[in-house]
Amino acid sequence: MQPQISFEFFPPRNVEGTFRLWDAVQVLAPLDPSFVSVTYGAGGTTRDLTRDVVATLHKHSGLRTAAHLTCVNATREETLAVAQEFAKAGVKDIVALRGDPPKGENSFTAHPDGFANSVELIEALADTGDFTIRVGAYPDKHPEAADMQADIDWLKRKLDAGATEALTQFFFEAETFLRFRDACAKAGIDKQIVPGILPIENWKGARNFATRCGTTIPSWVDDAFAKAERDGREDLLATAICTELCSDLIDEGVDKLHFYTLNRPELTRDVCFALGVTPKVKLEHVA
Ligand code: FAD
């Protein structure tokens, strides 16, 4: 079975980044993703950039485009005004998040006139009737959750508030996701939980990020990358590990995969190819 795929990008920070993003879109678009999404900088720092990138992608790439939106550092009116700008640009998919605090701050503090949490944001977006809403989920538990059950109960509240599906934080072993999916089903969640997949471009960076997110790092992955680095074959290992992870998930009935591309398309493309997801050439492009 071939999975449905989707890709996450981030807004570019400079001209070089803009070309890199567009290259990434050109490489991955032929794989016919069900949607692509664009992140919203920590602390709401890329508000205008995210808006411009989703509008441009939507208009020029022909891809269904989702905008991430967070509640950080903004009043309710400001946050909903950004959502309306997305809608005006034709972007009707939102990944609704509470968001991480701005750099230098350790915990989320709601703006006095802002949404207190993600559930409030999702309810307000759902009330508009304008959007398909997706939310974040955490197979290794969000660092702020009291325990896994509390995290899953909160996820249920987010989905019940008007979201259609959840996209997960990345994880390293299929078992982590499968256990989480079972626990969600047991808690009465009947909406789809889509695994977030990180093709590991750079082990040091991925490791640091995983540590910050509270994602369990299996020692075998650490050992494998140490050896691969010594032999100069990190790319081969990254492709093999990611392909095996996706393949194990597909064997267990997972039919959607959401790739964190980090705007670098090659590994994601190679993994998709290995899974049998190949470019779809539109008939009008055949001479
Ligand atoms: P929530 O799920 O609302 O809260 C996080 C956890 O805290 C919950 O799992 C829950 O256990 C607990 N919690 C929070 N409030 C309550 C409450 N009132 N009662 C009980 N428990 C509570 N960050 C960005 O800045 N920009 C992005 O574009 C972005 N994109 C992301 C995309 C995905 C798919 C994912 C998984 C994460 C993304 N993040 C992004 C990171 C995200 O903002 C952080 O993980 C943030 O700390 C939590 O946001 P959330 O909406 O998942 O929070």
Side-chain angles (χ1 to χ4, degrees), residues 4-287:
Q4 272 186 39
I5 49 167
S6 53
F7 301 126
E8 182 185 290
F9 301 111
F10 62 82
R13 295 189 191 97
N14 51 35
V15 175
E16 193 198 335
T18 307
F19 281 104
R20 189 179 305 145
L21 168 62
W22 195 245
D23 278 351
V25 172
Q26 297 299 310
V27 170
L28 296 174
L31 297 176
D32 198 21
S34 50
F35 71 95
V36 297
S37 76
V38 180
T39 60
Y40 201 75
T45 44
T46 64
R47 185 165 86 180
D48 295 347
L49 264 178
T50 299
R51 182 199 57 211
D52 293 349
V53 172
V54 291
T56 306
L57 275 183
H58 170 74
K59 191 164 167 206
H60 296 291
S61 71
L63 298 171
R64 182 167 176 168
T65 307
H68 293 214
L69 180 63
T70 73
C71 324
V72 182
N73 260 350
T75 65
R76 286 165 179 259
E77 286 68 27
E78 286 164 345
T79 305
L80 291 177
V82 177
Q84 283 317 315
E85 288 186 58
F86 294 149
K88 238 176 36 208
V91 172
K92 300 297 181 76
D93 291 68
I94 289 189
V95 181
L97 301 141
R98 184 198 70 185
D100 274 331
K103 251 195 182 140
E105 290 177 32
N106 290 330
S107 61
F108 172 81
T109 313
H111 185 288
D113 297 318
F115 293 110
N117 54 52
S118 55
V119 169
E120 285 190 5
L121 170 65
I122 296 156
E123 281 168 351
L125 290 172
D127 273 350
T128 68
D130 288 336
F131 301 105
T132 296
I133 304 164
R134 295 180 179 83
V135 295
Y138 300 89
D140 271 308
K141 188 179 89 57
H142 189 279
E144 290 170 44
D147 55 36
M148 187 50 107
Q149 192 54 50
D151 213 8
I152 290 172
D153 292 344
W154 184 250
L155 173 62
K156 185 168 185 326
R157 285 190 56 188
K158 295 198 292 187
L159 290 164
D160 289 347
T164 53
E165 66 184 16
L167 307 173
T168 78
Q169 187 56 275
F170 69 89
F171 51 88
F172 292 110
E173 291 180 311
E175 195 50 39
T176 306
F177 175 82
L178 299 172
R179 247 197 325 263
F180 180 67
R181 186 179 66 171
D182 286 350
C184 288
K186 204 167 154 209
I189 292 176
D190 56 4
K191 291 179 178 160
Q192 200 156 1
I193 315 289
V194 180
I197 306 292
L198 178 72
I200 301 167
E201 279 281 340
N202 167 335
W203 175 236
K204 221 168 148 193
R207 199 183 193 295
N208 284 341
F209 191 59
T211 306
R212 281 209 309 278
C213 297
T215 301
T216 311
I217 302 167
S219 57
W220 67 264
V221 183
D222 240 349
D223 294 345
F225 272 100
K227 283 185 194 142
E229 199 177 340
R230 193 188 56 205
D231 303 341
R233 52 181 176 81
E234 293 105 306
D235 280 2
L236 211 58
L237 177 70
T239 309
I241 284 186
C242 190
T243 304
E244 189 174 0
L245 173 64
C246 295
S247 179
D248 288 348
L249 292 169
I250 292 167
D251 285 348
E252 293 292 335
V254 168
D255 60 0
K256 290 184 179 179
L257 300 168
H258 182 68
F259 286 92
Y260 293 108
T261 72
L262 306 182
N263 296 5
R264 295 179 184 277
E266 290 81 12
L267 261 180
T268 298
R269 177 202 55 200
D270 292 351
V271 170
C272 287
F273 281 8
L275 296 172
V277 177
T278 49
K280 319 274 182 297
V281 180
K282 293 220 164 74
L283 274 182
E284 70 254 34
H285 297 143
V286 177

